[in-house]
Amino acid sequence: MNFTLHQLKVLLKIAEHQSITKASEELYLTQPAVSLQLKKLQDQFELPLTEVIGRQLYITDFGKEIVERSKRILEEADGIKYTVQQYKGVISGRIKISVVSTGKYVIPYYLKDFMDEYPSIDIKIDVSNKGKVIESLANNECDFSLVSVLPPDLRVNKVELIENKLYLIGSSSSREKIKKPKDLEKVTLLFREKGSATRNAMKEYLKSHDVNVKKSMELVSNEAIKQAINAGIGFSIVPLIGSKLLLESESVKFYDLKGLPMTTKWHFIYNKGKKLTPAHQVFLDYIEEHKDEIGRKYFSWALKDI
């Protein structure tokens, strides 16, 4: 048997996306190149790794076993690289961070200088909704998560970062007068998808102010909600941290309503009992030492009331 680490990486990406097209995009390879690597790996097994039903690619049960073993092989290969670096006195390793959708506006500022200072530490970031982020943490598929609402069912350690404020926004051209929460019953309300912390916060606000939702629309990202509001479709409660450009826009209005802004906190969290590697520990130490400085430098505008 003569497979390569590259072939195993290709298999993992195909399994992750169940698509050669998406795997090729993420690997920055052409589709024929990905298909060729999969074929070379497949030629070494009598049993099929994948199957196509209709137009959808699936990983077979045998393929899933090979995927799991491939993960362990690649982790050990990385371990060899990190061991060599550690013997040279270089702090190295891998850090996997799952980030809720709005967190993509926050995470880069906490990583930039850290990555410059520790270039031998590899960082992987996965951005998803809150439900998937918490599931990833619960299954120990990531090392840290960046969230604005702490999970009640997990025992976690936390590092508190900055405030996360949520405001009601709508088109400045709207003819509807929104002066109290009950006025929201007259308009179309724009919600994030199920599993989103922003969606949960908005539903909590509406429930606490006895607002009966009459018309609504569900969208899969804050960016989609902003575009809908620009088009004059409706109103939504959104995090200020991802709305800096809207503050300067004449087409969007921030509404001053009772109970708003809603305020939570951004946190880095990790499982209690997590065995921290040297890379994990130096990351935590860096965040603790620099979090206030980073908050003042990059987010002072978002910490003030508007």
Side-chain angles (χ1 to χ4, degrees), residues 233-298:
I233 291 178
F235 295 74
S236 189
I237 293 176
V238 300
L240 182 62
I241 204 77
S243 306
K244 187 174 184 179
L245 293 179
L246 296 183
L247 287 171
E248 304 166 1
S249 172
E250 296 181 356
S251 62
V252 173
K253 180 179 178 180
F254 285 72
Y255 289 80
D256 183 18
L257 283 190
K258 180 182 178 182
L260 293 178
M262 300 177 71
T263 302
T264 58
K265 293 274 190 178
W266 286 106
H267 296 89
F268 275 118
I269 61 174
Y270 59 101
N271 288 314
K272 285 191 173 180
K274 175 79 174 176
K275 293 183 178 179
L276 299 177
T277 67
H280 296 156
Q281 190 60 60
V282 78
F283 174 71
L284 283 175
D285 293 343
Y286 179 90
I287 295 300
E288 285 281 11
E289 181 180 352
H290 296 281
K291 62 180 183 176
D292 293 337
E293 173 191 345
I294 294 170
R296 288 191 301 269
K297 183 176 180 180
Y298 295 107

Side-chain angles (χ1 to χ4, degrees), residues 77-109:
D78 284 338
I80 292 173
K81 178 181 72 173
Y82 300 141
T83 298
V84 171
Q85 291 171 334
Q86 286 167 12
Y87 268 82
K88 292 180 178 179
V90 177
I91 296 178
S92 62
R94 172 175 291 180
I95 299 174
K96 293 180 282 188
I97 307 174
S98 59
V99 179
V100 295
S101 300
T102 307
K104 64 178 176 284
Y105 301 108
V106 177
I107 187 70
Y109 300 97

